[in-house]
Amino acid sequence: MKKLVTGLTLSLGCAARALAGSQIGGFSTFQISWSSGVVASAVPSLGTYGMLLLAALLALVVFRFSRSRGALVRAVAPLVTFGLAASFAFMTERPVAGGGVGPVDATSCNGSSTYTANLTNPPPCFVNTCGAPVTVSYTFIDGEQADTTPITDATCTRDYFCSGEGSSAIDGAIIPSDGLSYATAYCQEIFDGPEETDT
């Protein structure tokens, strides 16, 4: 019985190695980043801390104007003013862009997302819905050819793909906020093995 279990374990291990060796496929990992593409149309805005400081200043002004009122009004009016202004600061904070399995959805005009493309998982589509054009840039993170030869940033031949694509979100492109799907980068070498040289 012991020999049978050992034999089965060895044969399963050999079968797993043979199956892993027969599977062909590399991968490439990129970080896509985007930021507001047209500076002239950007609307200046306060951050959360700026809004909180403005709320504190407004509460101080209300306190100064309520000096001649009763003690209860002097105590409550600045607190209510600060609370309303502070809650407005948190309610208007923009959502963060999402990534993951589906498309990279730029709901915020500044953000980034990391994705890996391989033979079974194509690169995600990039969709800009933030309300302003954004400029797209890529950072190569890691990659490997089908035969496990490493891919570097220098050896990566970038191409762009997304299912149902119309245009590509190439490095440095300005993508309008139109809700359409744009192709993202991957390394063509994920489909290649070592190049054969003629001797």
Side-chain angles (χ1 to χ4, degrees):
M1 182 70 166
K2 193 175 187 181
K3 288 182 180 180
L4 178 64
V5 171
T6 305
L8 283 174
T9 305
L10 286 174
S11 63
L12 286 175
C14 292
R17 268 193 219 120
L19 182 61
S22 68
Q23 290 180 344
I24 299 173
F27 72 92
S28 61
T29 302
F30 282 91
Q31 179 184 39
I32 182 172
S33 301
W34 59 92
S35 61
S36 183
V38 183
V39 178
S41 67
V43 178
S45 61
L46 285 175
T48 304
Y49 293 115
M51 285 295 289
L52 290 176
L53 288 174
L54 185 62
L57 180 65
L58 189 59
L60 182 64
V61 168
V62 168
F63 177 75
R64 297 284 287 167
F65 279 119
S66 64
R67 277 193 321 202
S68 61
R69 306 285 180 191
L72 183 61
V73 172
R74 278 193 321 238
V76 173
L79 292 175
V80 169
T81 303
F82 179 78
L84 288 174
S87 65
F88 179 74
F90 289 109
M91 285 188 306
T92 58
E93 193 172 318
R94 287 186 177 182
V96 177
V101 177
V104 177
D105 189 13
T107 57
S108 172
C109 291
N110 295 298
S112 65
S113 180
T114 302
Y115 63 88
T116 299
N118 56 36
L119 291 178
T120 57
N121 296 314
C125 300
F126 180 78
V127 180
N128 180 12
T129 57
C130 82
V134 294
T135 302
V136 174
S137 63
Y138 294 91
T139 303
F140 175 83
I141 295 177
D142 195 12
E144 190 175 90
Q145 291 183 1
D147 65 349
T148 69
T149 302
I151 301 172
T152 64
D153 192 23
T155 62
C156 173
T157 306
R158 292 184 186 186
D159 201 359
Y160 299 86
F161 178 81
C162 132
S163 57
E165 56 153 309
S167 298
S168 296
I170 61 173
D171 200 359
I174 296 176
I175 307 300
S177 180
D178 54 10
L180 298 177
S181 296
Y182 289 82
T184 56
Y186 71 96
C187 295
Q188 287 181 347
E189 289 79 8
I190 65 174
F191 302 109
D192 299 338
E195 292 186 13
E196 296 178 7
T197 56
D198 295 330
T199 53

